Amino acid sequence: MRRTRTVLLCIAGLMGAALPTGTAAGVETAAAAPAPGACVNSPGPAEGDALKVLTIAQQAQREFGLNSVVLRVSSDGREVLTKALGESMTGVPAEPSMKFRTGSVAIVYMGAVLLQLVDEGKASLDDPVSRWLPDVPHGSEITLRMLGSSTSGLHDYVTAPAFLAELEAKPFRQWTAAEVIGIATEKPLLYEPGTNWSYSHANFNLLGEALEKISGLPLDRLLKERVYEPLELSGTSNQYTPQIPEPVLHSFTSERGTYEESTFWNPSWTTTPGAVLVQNICDLDRSARAVGTGELLSAKSFKTQLDPGTIGLGHPTASCPDTVCLLTNTQAHHFGLGVIVVNGWILTNPSFSGYAAIQAYLPAEKLAISVTVTQGPKSPAGNSAQVIAERISAALAPGHVLKMR
């Protein structure tokens, strides 16, 4: 598959000056210490669990031919290892502070904000979408809960052949929300809303629009006030254009048949305007811990986020083939309200346009794993960041291996 269906997508460069090693008088000058809270490589040689993590990352970089592997692992909020391996571009080392696209992380945040608004009595999960978006086809049948849990029955525009052909031919095209939602809603529903499960990006485009109506705020401001600022995600921002703020982790891909840079391909199709995110690895780690502990939610809403009613759903039917309704949601492996739950881990795993990442948290061990990778010319298809996280989980939490299907 050329672009994943998880949910979840001027050249900026890394500029820096070399520090002098001495003064004119030959006096040695110490390198400047990183600022407190800076997102930098862990100091000193890796030992213990940090060495296990580092060895896994180094082996995977070689095995998969990755340009870069950037990761951060923390235990009970304490850093185990922060490390950037490889290069952003030729001759430009990857650094933990570099920003990259994080796609489906935005839908996790939108789900959390929806639950906050419900707690505040501003909406109900069982409100029909038509209450907030009266012109949406089938809006009286689809609820906010169904959008957040991807049980609406809406088609996924990302799998539409005409859309994929256009996206491949014109990766710099600016898509509007109306265009991509229209592709999904012009077809009949795959099933009666709420009776089955299938992933659709259209759910989260509509959810973003509904959140704006419920709150009366633009989505970028809503997410900033309710997520980025409370969690102090200083390296996280929405981008309305393909630009990524410096420093940038550059991406490359062979998905169009030729290995090429894809850093600034237009991500406007990936989700609602206002939630097209870039982040650094330290913010991804902080996000994983906050989401995995329910920090932004009441206890009741956190329970709903992890289990909004999807368990038992997800099966092929005459109108929804096994290429679409392909995930049977079980207690051990299911889609929540914007999140994925796998063997006790709470996660999301964005992958598109040469970027692949994962943020995952295991409450039982208070363990967070965040990884992003960029591809080399011979890197395999699929999300290699997810594979690295699985291997780290096996090393640090062998009783709770993060094994995706």
Side-chain angles (χ1 to χ4, degrees), residues 61 64-68 87 90 251-255 257-261 374-381:
Q61 185 190 11
F64 302 134
L66 299 168
N67 278 354
S68 69
E87 295 183 320
T90 302
S251 66
F252 302 81
T253 182
S254 301
E255 65 185 58
T258 300
Y259 186 67
E260 59 189 329
E261 181 166 6
T374 55
Q375 299 174 352
K378 296 182 180 180
S379 295

Side-chain angles (χ1 to χ4, degrees), residues 157-167 187:
Y157 59 83
V158 168
T159 64
F163 171 82
L164 287 172
E166 179 72 3
L167 191 62
K187 298 180 179 181

Side-chain angles (χ1 to χ4, degrees), residues 17-286:
L19 290 171
T21 57
T23 65
V27 178
E28 191 74 15
T29 302
C39 190
V40 297
N41 287 310
S42 298
E47 300 176 346
D49 285 348
L51 181 57
K52 293 178 184 178
V53 173
L54 178 60
T55 300
I56 289 168
Q58 291 171 330
Q59 291 175 342
Q61 185 190 11
R62 292 191 297 268
E63 178 182 347
F64 302 134
L66 299 168
N67 278 354
S68 69
V69 176
V70 185
L71 58 81
R72 183 177 173 92
V73 175
S74 59
S75 178
D76 199 12
R78 296 185 297 273
E79 178 186 32
V80 173
L81 181 72
T82 304
K83 191 67 177 179
L85 304 172
E87 295 183 320
S88 170
M89 299 184 293
T90 302
V92 180
E95 298 289 347
S97 60
M98 289 180 168
K99 299 179 179 68
F100 48 92
R101 303 197 194 281
T102 53
S104 61
V105 174
I107 75 167
V108 179
Y109 296 164
M110 286 192 284
V113 170
L114 171 61
L115 290 165
Q116 290 175 352
L117 294 171
V118 168
D119 275 349
E120 294 165 13
K122 296 178 180 178
S124 166
L125 284 180
D126 298 316
D127 281 346
V129 173
S130 57
R131 176 181 175 186
W132 307 103
L133 304 172
D135 297 328
V136 172
H138 306 287
S140 62
E141 305 165 62
I142 298 169
T143 66
L144 296 175
R145 181 192 302 269
M146 294 172 193
L147 292 182
S149 61
S150 209
T151 58
S152 67
L154 289 169
H155 283 256
D156 189 4
Y157 59 83
V158 168
T159 64
F163 171 82
L164 287 172
E166 179 72 3
L167 191 62
E168 181 171 319
K170 301 176 182 178
F172 297 101
R173 172 178 168 174
Q174 178 80 19
W175 293 84
T176 67
E179 286 173 330
V180 294
I181 292 171
I183 296 171
T185 57
E186 68 183 4
K187 298 180 179 181
L189 294 175
L190 291 163
Y191 45 82
E192 180 183 344
T195 65
N196 209 342
W197 185 91
S198 58
Y199 190 83
S200 172
H201 288 74
N203 289 315
F204 304 104
N205 277 272
L206 289 170
L207 180 58
E209 292 187 358
L211 291 174
E212 291 188 327
K213 294 291 185 179
I214 295 166
S215 67
L217 295 174
L219 186 58
D220 60 345
R221 179 178 166 188
L222 184 66
L223 294 178
K224 182 177 181 181
E225 291 182 359
R226 289 179 174 264
V227 181
Y228 318 154
E229 289 180 345
L231 299 182
E232 299 182 324
L233 303 181
S234 59
T236 298
S237 62
N238 163 71
Q239 297 298 309
Y240 285 107
T241 73
Q243 185 176 0
I244 300 176
E246 296 184 13
V248 181
L249 183 67
H250 286 246
S251 66
F252 302 81
T253 182
S254 301
E255 65 185 58
R256 297 203 305 164
T258 300
Y259 186 67
E260 59 189 329
E261 181 166 6
S262 52
T263 310
F264 301 106
W265 285 2
N266 197 317
S268 56
W269 58 273
T270 57
T271 195
T272 318
V276 181
L277 301 187
V278 297
Q279 301 182 281
N280 64 30
I281 200 66
C282 293
D283 277 12
L284 208 60
D285 168 78
R286 179 69 181 95

Side-chain angles (χ1 to χ4, degrees), residues 298-345:
S298 67
K300 178 182 177 181
S301 285
F302 184 43
K303 183 177 180 180
T304 300
Q305 184 182 41
L306 300 185
D307 181 9
T310 53
I311 294 173
L313 301 180
H315 49 272
T317 65
S319 60
C320 191
D322 59 9
T323 55
V324 179
C325 288
L326 49 78
L327 173 66
T328 299
N329 287 269
T330 66
Q331 184 69 42
H333 189 138
H334 63 272
F335 193 84
L337 205 141
V339 300
I340 304 169
V341 179
V342 178
N343 197 22
W345 292 85

